[in-house]
């Protein structure tokens, strides 16, 4: 597509694009999104995790920042994404419990974009991550907890973010530390 003066180019979710300038010009881009697009973002973040591609920003954090900015007055599609986010993490918590996995400890942490990424898939570990003493500084998302090292699961530490703790409280879910 050749964009001419005074024209717009609209791209849709999962419509990857790039730009190239052939000379002196002034360019402007405006990015907008609708509530319904959070599900596309989740699917994109999942694909990034599968391919090991680091994402530019944390989708889960964006979702929660949006909900907080709107003071909880959001559409049903955003509420559905929020429910999915919590249920996804709860599923891992449940799986650990069902397998009688007694993790070494549970600790709370404050999320930081730069410091909380999975060592294997580069996914942002916004709600939780695991670590093992055999890999100093290594953080692993829930999907890469098993197989991160040869240590038994009982030696690993589960870290939940303070944000997850607050989400559980808001959803009326019992949270154990």
């Amino acid at each position: 597509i050749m964009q001419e003066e005074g024209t717009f180019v609209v791209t849709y979710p999962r419509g990857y694009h790039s730009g190239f300038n052939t000379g002196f010009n002034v360019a402007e881009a405006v990015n907008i999104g609708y509530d319904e697009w959070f599900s596309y973002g989740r699917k994109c973040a999942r694909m990034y995790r599968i391919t090991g591609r680091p994402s530019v920003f944390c989708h889960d954090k964006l979702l929660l920042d949006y909900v907080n900015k709107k003071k909880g007055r959001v559409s049903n599609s955003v509420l559905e994404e929020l429910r999915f986010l919590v249920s996804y993490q709860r599923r891992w918590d449940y799986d650990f419990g069902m397998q009688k996995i007694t993790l070494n400890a549970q600790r709370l942490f404050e999320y930081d974009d730069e410091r909380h990424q999975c060592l294997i898939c580069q996914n942002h570990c916004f709600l939780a991550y695991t670590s093992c003493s055999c890999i100093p500084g290594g953080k692993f998302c829930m999907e890469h907890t098993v197989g991160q090292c040869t240590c038994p699961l009982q030696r690993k530490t589960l870290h939940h973010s303070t944000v997850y703790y607050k989400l559980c409280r808001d959803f009326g879910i019992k949270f154990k530390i």
Side-chain angles (χ1 to χ4, degrees), residues 56-58 61 110-117 124 126:
V56 177
F57 61 90
C58 177
K61 183 177 185 313
E110 291 288 335
Y111 175 76
D112 178 333
D113 279 335
E114 302 297 320
R115 298 181 325 145
H116 295 105
Q117 292 182 336
H124 293 270
F126 183 61

Side-chain angles (χ1 to χ4, degrees), residues 43-56:
K43 292 171 188 166
C44 181
R46 172 93 178 124
M47 289 306 299
Y48 276 28
R49 180 183 300 122
I50 290 169
T51 60
R53 179 180 177 182
S55 61
V56 177

Side-chain angles (χ1 to χ4, degrees), residues 69-85:
K69 186 176 181 180
K70 294 289 224 170
K71 296 183 178 29
R73 293 187 296 269
V74 294
S75 68
N76 286 337
S77 63
V78 172
L79 283 175
E80 189 60 34
E81 285 301 307
L82 198 56
R83 284 186 197 102
F84 181 87
L85 182 64

Side-chain angles (χ1 to χ4, degrees), residues 1 3 6 8 11 15 20 32 38 40 49 61 64 68 73 75 87 94 99 105 115 125-127 130 143 155 172 174:
I1 296 175
Q3 185 175 5
F8 294 91
T11 57
F20 180 77
I32 61 168
F38 277 109
Y40 289 106
R49 180 183 300 122
K61 183 177 185 313
L64 286 171
N68 288 334
R73 293 187 296 269
S75 68
S87 66
Y94 179 76
Q99 295 174 29
R115 298 181 325 145
C125 299
F126 183 61
L127 295 182
T130 59
E143 294 186 23
R155 289 196 50 205
K174 292 181 181 175

